[in-house]
Amino acid sequence: MAQLLEAAADVFRKVGYTAASTNAIAREAGVSPGTLYQFFPNKEAIAIELGSALNLRMREAHGELFTPENASLPLREMLDVIVDPIIDFNCENPAFLALVHDSDIPGTVASEHDALHGSLLERVETLLGLRAPDLSPAERTQVAAMAFGLFKAGLALAVGHEGTERDAYTGELKNALFGYLAPRVGTGPVDVTAAAAAAGLSGTPDASTGAAPAG
């Protein structure tokens, strides 16, 4: 099954979900279509299994980033420790973007991605609340949504390039985020102890939710 999912990821990355076929996936995996059908009845089932695995992997990876410790860092350093790993994840798992950007993906994959999107946006809001507790809830929601939108646009550009060009786009993305966030959350290190305590956050985040466990 792992061999088939890896092959499916390669095929989805190359041609997208719509143009992919079970025959192409079986060929990429080096097995017969009959062998593939012993594990998956159709392309949709493969996409659902792969999408669920990638969503879970992303939740676990990103749950370690949105912590009070990272929120307390100088803004540029905070952007480095959050933006770089997310870009690295998407570069290492290109099938993730290939799946979620295809309009024909199964509804289960789309709904899981929407839930992940909402979870990440909540983490950004929490991070902003730690750095700038004076922001009103409405302001925090607006700033988080705008910053997240900027990030998604820059992510697509960074992942779409390689080598020094990718590094350049990543740098430009972080510059854009810095310029937008600096007037709102400050540029230096921040003592988030009081804000974290008020929010019930301490220690390291739980990988399944990204929220730090209550202390």
Side-chain angles (χ1 to χ4, degrees):
M1 182 177 290
Q3 182 180 347
L4 288 167
L5 290 177
E6 183 177 349
D10 287 338
V11 173
F12 292 150
R13 174 182 59 82
K14 292 173 183 175
V15 304
Y17 174 77
T18 301
S21 67
T22 52
N23 284 343
I25 294 170
R27 186 165 55 249
E28 184 75 22
V31 302
S32 69
T35 298
L36 181 150
Y37 289 128
Q38 291 178 20
F39 294 91
F40 299 104
N42 50 42
K43 180 179 69 172
E44 180 179 358
I46 298 173
I48 290 173
E49 183 71 23
L50 179 63
S52 295
L54 290 173
N55 271 296
L56 177 59
R57 201 180 306 165
M58 180 174 274
R59 281 182 182 275
E60 291 173 343
H62 297 359
E64 301 175 358
L65 304 178
F66 296 87
T67 64
E69 291 78 10
N70 286 345
S72 70
L73 295 171
L75 182 58
R76 283 205 181 274
E77 190 174 342
M78 185 192 81
L79 291 173
D80 286 339
V81 300
I82 292 176
V83 170
D84 289 343
I86 297 179
I87 290 180
D88 288 344
F89 177 91
N90 282 276
C91 290
E92 293 165 4
N93 299 275
F96 185 80
L97 289 180
L99 271 178
V100 300
H101 286 168
D102 197 310
S103 60
D104 290 333
I105 60 171
T108 300
V109 177
S111 62
E112 287 184 352
H113 177 259
D114 288 345
L116 175 62
H117 181 283
S119 175
L120 289 175
L121 191 55
E122 288 177 2
R123 295 176 193 178
V124 174
E125 285 195 50
T126 298
L127 201 73
L128 294 175
L130 294 176
R131 279 196 67 93
D134 291 338
L135 287 174
S136 70
E139 289 173 323
R140 191 164 64 244
T141 297
Q142 292 167 358
V143 173
M146 181 59 70
F148 198 48
L150 285 172
F151 174 78
K152 289 195 297 179
L155 172 65
L157 286 169
V159 173
H161 293 79
E162 297 181 352
T164 56
E165 287 189 335
R166 177 177 293 162
D167 293 339
Y169 277 107
T170 299
E172 288 301 306
L173 169 57
K174 287 190 281 190
N175 285 339
L177 289 170
F178 181 88
Y180 175 69
L181 291 173
R184 296 160 176 84
V185 302
T187 61
V190 178
D191 184 354
V192 302
T193 306
L201 302 176
S202 63
T204 56
D206 178 78
S208 63
T209 64

